[in-house]
Amino acid sequence: MNPAIPVPPEVPPAGGEPDVIIVGGGIGGLSSAFALSRQGMRVRVLERAKEFGEVGAGIQIAPNCTRILAEYGLLDEAKELGVLPENMVMRDALDSRELTRLDLRDLERRYGFPYMVIHRSDLHGIFLRACQRSGVELLTDQTVVDYEHTDDGARIRLENGRSEEAPVVIAADGLHSVARRKLVGDEVVSSDYVAYRAAVPIGTVRDNGVAEKDVTVYVGPRCHFVQYALRGGDMFNQVAVFESPKALAGKNDWGTPDELDAAFAATCDTVRKGIPLMWRDRWWQMLDRDPVETWVHGRIALLGDAAHPPLQYMAQGAIMAIEDGWVFAQHVARQSGRAAGAPDWDAVLASYEAVRVEHCRRVQSTARAWGHLWHLDGEKRLQRNEIMRGRDADDYAFTDWVYGPTALDPDEEPAMFTPIPLSSARLGGANAAGAPAPAGIGGSGTDAGAGGVVK
């Protein structure tokens, strides 16, 4: 991983107090700060860590995100740091047979922008440098412990006793958001699945039967495995996800390395060869929250994972946060118009919530269903495989609703796909036995997927 990029705490700039305070310096917070700075807003970002940085490995960004990067003038930099894979391929984790694929070059022709994979820290660094260039005030070692309403804005209180105010406060403080806990009060939801990750030199895996130019996901009973290249093809990203028996039994210490090895013991050679390469000193429990309809509380707005933390199966978590900031900034521009002075913040917040809540609810719900679909066993696994093999490769009904342009108003949100019932699959033919069949759409990993095909 790239080292964190230090940005020392500084005094506020001479330009005056901020128009917007953003709590959280992750991808969602920084991308939103940059989007607002492009609209002439004075933005202050408060990050609790001593340095700005991201932990993790690969991340996938679909056309609905690369479209925004292009508008921001950041797409070329992302291309230099990332990889443009050729295909998205889904395989059965037990026998390795192909279930479905998506030609990502054709996908780019359809949506006008590429599908890209990039190291999470590289994408974070792109937004950090953009914020530095645009004059965003970036403060580290700032732990926010409380949020309050004021007559004309909002106030945050910090661990050191200091308080700060602004017309608007955006809480982009992640899955375990302090603002979410205070304003909504709900709890995280465990899926009982856990993810292991690793990014290794490409030479480490070349003898393992990997597809260097594709994003590949192997779906198996209660597990799946993801592979794709990073950093110009010099590195290879792998993600192993499985259901934890210890979690199901209610144990606190769950998702441990012994469970990792047991979960993939019956998978195909390529997957089994990848398991010993996984980082074993850390793992990520797969958590989300139930969707909520209210993200705006007075002049405090939830954004990114604080508002809509998804399971990772659709690769839309970071993208939704980037979209949130873009939509918010677009409504700032609409409400500012040619009039002097501040935008109508209440109208901005209402418009942001009106369009983003339903879209993100759809993604969160579909991600849960998609995860269930990937991990089927027995006859249902065969039915899923049959349906996926039979899909027309030119059918984009399952991606148009999410990969198209980001809606700014509720009436711009496209209709969702129509799920295909598992019971419609006819087993007993060549496809059910694993013989070649027409290609169809697949997902692409723990941080991936194009939508739910079957139910």
Side-chain angles (χ1 to χ4, degrees):
M1 292 181 287
N2 280 355
I5 303 172
V7 179
E10 301 178 57
V11 297
E17 292 303 306
D19 300 302
V20 180
I21 291 174
I22 297 178
V23 179
I27 288 172
L30 292 183
S31 62
S32 301
F34 178 63
L36 288 166
S37 73
R38 296 177 76 242
Q39 303 301 333
M41 298 294 102
R42 295 187 300 263
V43 185
R44 179 178 297 164
V45 176
L46 305 178
E47 166 57 37
R48 67 179 300 169
K50 295 185 183 299
E51 296 178 320
F52 282 96
E54 272 283 349
V55 177
I59 187 171
Q60 301 180 50
I61 48 178
N64 56 317
C65 182
T66 52
R67 178 183 293 107
I68 294 174
L69 291 180
E71 180 179 318
Y72 289 168
L74 303 176
L75 183 57
D76 287 342
E77 184 179 0
K79 285 181 176 179
E80 290 177 2
L81 296 172
V83 171
L84 299 181
E86 295 181 358
N87 300 285
M88 186 186 295
V89 182
M90 178 175 281
R91 295 181 178 275
D92 189 293
L94 300 185
D95 60 22
S96 189
R97 293 182 183 274
E98 183 175 314
L99 303 179
T100 183
R101 72 170 49 219
L102 187 63
D103 185 329
L104 296 179
R105 293 156 296 187
D106 190 59
L107 187 91
E108 181 176 355
R109 287 189 288 269
R110 181 173 184 85
Y111 299 113
F113 298 90
Y115 196 103
M116 181 184 302
V117 292
I118 189 170
H119 201 290
R120 181 176 287 270
S121 64
D122 290 340
L123 182 62
H124 182 269
I126 288 171
F127 283 117
L128 179 59
R129 290 187 290 274
C131 285
Q132 291 168 327
R133 293 191 299 267
S134 64
V136 172
E137 186 182 2
L138 300 163
L139 304 181
T140 57
D141 201 14
Q142 308 285 314
T143 300
V144 175
V145 296
D146 199 10
Y147 294 75
E148 299 173 351
H149 303 294
T150 65
D151 291 340
D152 55 358
R155 178 186 300 117
I156 57 94
R157 295 194 180 277
L158 292 111
E159 190 175 52
N160 61 11
R162 196 176 82 252
S163 64
E164 296 189 12
E165 296 182 15
V168 171
V169 171
I170 295 175
D173 50 347
L175 173 68
H176 300 288
S177 165
V178 172
R180 175 82 176 232
R181 182 169 64 247
K182 175 169 184 172
L183 300 172
V184 180
D186 61 340
E187 299 294 333
V188 297
V189 177
S190 175
S191 68
D192 298 325
Y193 277 75
V194 63
Y196 280 71
R197 295 182 169 92
V200 299
I202 190 68
T204 309
V205 298
R206 281 204 165 120
D207 293 333
N208 292 357
V210 302
E212 294 184 34
K213 296 184 178 181
D214 295 338
V215 175
T216 307
V217 55
Y218 293 84
V219 294
R222 295 170 297 281
C223 69
H224 72 267
F225 193 68
V226 189
Q227 295 180 319
Y228 53 84
L230 286 175
R231 290 186 174 156
D234 292 336
M235 296 187 70
F236 201 71
N237 188 63
Q238 298 191 136
V239 187
V241 176
F242 62 90
E243 186 180 53
S244 164
K246 292 180 183 177
L248 294 173
K251 297 182 179 179
N252 292 327
D253 181 25
W254 59 276
T256 48
D258 58 309
E259 291 193 305
L260 167 70
D261 293 331
F264 290 92
T267 56
C268 63
D269 286 347
T270 298
V271 174
R272 287 202 313 275
K273 289 177 180 177
I275 295 301
L277 302 175
M278 310 310 294
W279 299 327
R280 290 174 178 252
D281 59 343
R282 68 198 109 163
W283 50 89
W284 289 259
Q285 295 173 352
M286 297 188 68
L287 312 171
D288 69 352
R289 291 181 186 264
D290 293 329
V292 292
E293 295 183 0
T294 303
W295 298 0
V296 174
H297 302 258
R299 292 286 186 85
I300 304 169
L302 303 177
L303 182 144
D305 278 358
H308 46 75
L311 295 178
Q312 296 95 323
Y313 299 101
M314 287 187 63
Q316 288 286 310
I319 293 175
M320 286 193 292
I322 293 168
E323 286 183 310
D324 287 349
W326 180 83
V327 168
F328 198 102
Q330 291 296 309
H331 284 293
V332 167
R334 286 186 175 187
Q335 295 299 329
S336 299
R338 297 184 179 181
D344 182 340
W345 285 117
D346 294 323
V348 170
L349 291 163
S351 299
Y352 162 72
E353 185 178 65
V355 68
R356 292 303 293 160
V357 166
E358 174 59 15
H359 175 81
C360 296
R361 182 198 66 79
R362 292 178 177 187
V363 174
Q364 284 183 278
S365 300
T366 303
R368 286 179 171 181
W370 200 225
H372 175 73
L373 173 69
W374 285 10
H375 301 137
L376 293 173
D377 197 0
E379 182 173 320
K380 289 184 177 180
R381 164 182 163 255
L382 299 178
Q383 290 173 319
R384 175 204 64 199
N385 291 359
E386 174 80 0
I387 291 171
M388 287 190 166
R389 287 192 184 103
R391 183 194 168 275
D392 188 336
D394 296 326
D395 181 1
Y396 285 92
F398 299 105
T399 56
D400 284 344
W401 73 278
V402 67
Y403 289 172
T406 304
L408 282 171
D409 296 295
D411 59 4
E412 294 177 357
E413 188 70 29
M416 288 193 72
F417 57 89
T418 301
I420 303 170
L422 281 173
S423 59
S424 66
R426 297 181 179 180
L427 300 181
N431 285 355
I441 186 167
S444 54
T446 296
D447 294 317
V453 179
V454 300
K455 64 178 181 180

